Amino acid sequence: MEEKQDKSANIKRFTKQVSLSSQKILAAFFDDSLKDKEKKEKICRQLDVAIRNKELVVIQLRLTNSALPEFETVAGFVYRNKNSPAQIILRSLPSQTLRMIAIKDILKVSILHQRIARA
């Protein structure tokens, strides 16, 4: 009798786990904010690599003050903004000017490794 109760309890736990994981997968599939969060984490990792290795980056930005989706491309060296972790500081290459950029406005990051940048 105990074996039947153990089996039914195990089956109930298994069914509950399958149901919960299915719900999580479905919620993640329809949740665009999860995709945006993963994309921003990837961009942050790329920026951290560029900062650590002091490499030249090319960044594609979304212009926020525009009604239409417009983009801007900037290049230079990146530094962390210690006062605001949601922003980076870009020292642009030709003019050596500093610019603060919100990480949420970054669409793409390309790193030009030092071997290529020196050539």
Side-chain angles (χ1 to χ4, degrees), residues 54-58 75 77 110-117:
K54 298 179 181 173
E55 294 178 319
L56 182 67
V57 296
V58 178
F77 294 95
S110 297
I111 299 174
L112 299 176
H113 298 287
Q114 290 191 6
R115 301 188 300 261
I116 299 169

Side-chain angles (χ1 to χ4, degrees), residues 12 16 58 66-67 95:
K12 285 182 183 179
K16 187 176 180 180
V58 178
S66 169
S95 62

Side-chain angles (χ1 to χ4, degrees), residues 16-72:
K16 187 176 180 180
Q17 286 292 79
V18 169
S19 175
L20 286 175
S21 58
S22 298
Q23 291 171 0
K24 288 179 184 177
I25 290 171
L26 189 61
F29 180 74
F30 289 115
D31 189 12
D32 289 336
S33 64
L34 182 64
K35 292 176 187 175
D36 291 340
K37 183 179 177 183
E38 289 175 353
K39 185 177 178 183
K40 293 303 174 191
E41 287 174 357
K42 179 183 175 189
I43 288 172
C44 286
R45 285 192 305 271
Q46 289 176 316
L47 291 171
D48 288 339
V49 168
I51 291 168
R52 185 174 45 250
N53 297 332
K54 298 179 181 173
E55 294 178 319
L56 182 67
V57 296
V58 178
I59 299 174
Q60 184 180 30
L61 300 171
R62 175 182 341 157
L63 297 178
T64 56
N65 57 358
S66 169
L68 298 173
E70 293 184 25
F71 307 102
E72 178 184 3

Side-chain angles (χ1 to χ4, degrees), residues 58-107:
V58 178
I59 299 174
Q60 184 180 30
L61 300 171
R62 175 182 341 157
L63 297 178
T64 56
N65 57 358
S66 169
L68 298 173
E70 293 184 25
F71 307 102
E72 178 184 3
T73 304
V74 293
F77 294 95
V78 180
Y79 304 95
R80 276 277 169 213
N81 185 350
K82 293 179 183 177
N83 296 325
S84 177
Q87 295 180 334
I88 58 166
I89 299 171
L90 178 82
R91 182 175 51 113
S92 63
L93 198 56
S95 62
Q96 299 294 320
T97 58
L98 296 177
R99 180 175 177 179
M100 292 180 66
I101 299 172
I103 293 175
K104 66 177 180 64
D105 294 334
I106 298 174
L107 296 175

